[in-house]
Amino acid sequence: MWFRNLLVYRLTQPLTLTAEELEQALASKPARSCASQELSTYGFVAPFGKGADAPLVHSSQGFLLLAARKEERILPGSVVRDALKEKVDEIEAEQMRKVYKKERDQLKDEIVQAFLPRAFVRKSATFAAIAPAQGLILVDSSSPKRAEDLLSTLREVLGSLPVRPLSVKMAPTATFTDWLKNQRASNGLTVLDECELRDVQEDGGIVRVKRHDLASDEVQQHLNNGKIVTKLALAWEDKLSLLIDDKLALKRLRFEDLLQDQAEQDGGDDALGQLDASFTLMMLTFIEFLPQLIEAMGGEEIPQGI
């Protein structure tokens, strides 16, 4: 149970729910399969284990883990377009008349409804962890849309969820650019060997550098020419490595072997014990790392009125 990506959200009011109360709320919207005429469904599933008895909330040392699953029928647009064109051509040829937009839309709806029962179903899960004491919700995703799907569904079952994306006082691009120019970050952070540079001019170019010495004259020349850093690979205290972007999305998270070995040792021989140990150690790492990252980027920005 190691998150691979991370979007961080700040709770703007204390969340006082117990694990039992959260379990009850999530149970009001369980994941289910798509019916024959449904495009998609969304609901909560057990983060660990399967079966009716598996809890929808895993609690450990004050941290709460949950998961949501989306099922959607995959109906390629090209298939619908081809079927619609064939039907329109048939009507126009047989009835010697033009098929206009309103009728086209009606035909398209009929085609979609006819094809849906035969469409493939794709399932995808999104995990999230709540750290009530720290006032944070952490979503294992690099997609704000997927994260918002989970948060909005959580808001639906709880009645309210006062949360906003985490933001910092300094522009991330300014901080990244300064770190790359000086080849030095702060608060235990180390610049690695990957970055993305963007020209600030409209329609400006993008330079992606990977597995390359970022202190090289070539990279520094791009900075001297006015390019800014929009993505940067970092390591933190030999525990964690990641790629961070200018929206503060953390991608390609990798927990170093020392942490993984410790989780394996703490978890024992039981599979659920292993999952619990890795989740707990991951969360303890996050609540130590995130304040250091936020401070290194100028501190957290608190919008007025909140």
Side-chain angles (χ1 to χ4, degrees):
M1 177 38 62
W2 303 100
F3 283 11
R4 297 179 181 178
N5 300 283
L6 191 65
L7 292 173
V8 184
Y9 295 84
R10 169 64 70 192
L11 286 161
T12 58
Q13 296 176 17
L15 190 66
T16 57
L17 282 175
T18 64
E20 291 75 17
E21 291 169 332
L22 181 58
E23 175 84 23
Q24 186 176 2
L26 300 187
S28 68
K29 194 174 180 65
R32 60 179 180 82
S33 299
C34 289
S36 62
Q37 296 299 315
E38 281 186 306
L39 278 170
S40 66
T41 60
Y42 197 91
F44 295 101
V45 294
F48 294 163
K50 298 179 181 180
D53 296 332
L56 298 176
V57 178
H58 178 78
S59 177
S60 178
Q61 295 196 24
F63 306 120
L64 305 171
L65 178 68
L66 56 96
R69 187 183 74 208
K70 182 177 185 179
E71 287 199 17
E72 54 187 333
R73 292 190 178 275
I74 306 304
L75 194 56
S78 60
V79 173
V80 176
R81 286 194 299 271
D82 290 346
L84 178 60
K85 183 179 184 305
E86 183 177 336
K87 186 65 175 177
V88 169
D89 290 345
E90 179 184 330
I91 292 173
E92 291 182 342
E94 291 181 356
Q95 301 182 19
M96 303 295 290
R97 65 180 180 84
K98 184 73 173 175
V99 176
Y100 292 100
K101 184 179 185 304
K102 184 177 181 179
E103 186 178 359
R104 280 176 174 268
D105 291 343
Q106 183 178 347
L107 290 170
K108 181 179 178 181
D109 289 342
E110 292 173 358
I111 289 169
V112 168
Q113 292 303 314
F115 282 6
L116 272 180
R118 293 177 284 161
F120 290 109
V121 174
R122 178 172 61 191
K123 300 179 182 181
S124 60
T126 304
F127 290 82
I130 304 175
Q134 291 74 29
L136 296 173
I137 296 183
L138 312 179
V139 182
D140 181 6
S141 178
S142 61
S143 164
K145 172 64 169 61
R146 284 187 64 169
E148 183 51 42
D149 284 346
L150 185 146
L151 293 173
S152 62
T153 309
L154 186 57
R155 186 177 297 113
E156 176 188 336
V157 300
L158 294 179
S160 68
L161 185 67
V163 67
R164 58 172 173 79
L166 185 80
S167 58
V168 292
K169 293 179 179 178
M170 295 179 61
T173 54
T175 301
F176 300 160
T177 304
D178 180 69
W179 288 349
L180 193 52
K181 281 183 176 179
N182 296 304
Q183 282 298 298
R184 185 181 63 189
S186 59
N187 292 31
L189 293 163
T190 305
V191 175
L192 296 180
D193 60 354
E194 182 177 352
C195 70
E196 180 182 276
L197 303 144
R198 186 183 297 269
D199 196 315
V200 296
Q201 301 296 324
E202 188 175 357
D203 299 325
I206 298 174
V207 176
R208 294 183 177 90
V209 182
K210 195 169 185 177
R211 292 191 292 273
H212 191 76
D213 180 9
L214 301 188
S216 68
D217 292 342
E218 179 185 359
V219 174
Q220 293 299 314
Q221 187 60 49
H222 284 300
L223 298 175
N224 294 335
N225 290 338
K227 287 187 174 64
I228 60 173
V229 182
T230 52
K231 295 180 182 178
L232 187 62
L234 298 170
W236 178 69
E237 291 190 353
D238 297 325
K239 296 181 180 180
L240 188 65
S241 63
L242 57 104
L243 183 72
I244 184 170
D245 70 13
D246 55 351
K247 302 295 189 297
L248 299 183
L250 309 185
K251 305 174 183 180
R252 301 212 306 264
L253 287 168
R254 185 183 187 281
F255 294 84
E256 300 301 339
D257 292 344
L258 183 65
L259 291 179
Q260 297 195 43
D261 291 344
Q262 182 180 339
E264 186 175 346
Q265 181 178 348
D266 293 346
D269 297 329
D270 180 63
L272 289 179
Q274 288 284 331
L275 290 169
D276 175 70
S278 59
F279 168 66
T280 304
L281 190 54
M282 176 186 74
M283 291 302 294
L284 291 172
T285 302
F286 278 153
I287 65 169
E288 183 183 0
F289 163 69
L290 288 172
Q292 295 295 314
L293 176 66
I294 293 167
E295 181 182 332
M297 301 187 69
E300 186 173 355
E301 177 71 22
I302 307 296
Q304 291 185 352
I306 297 180

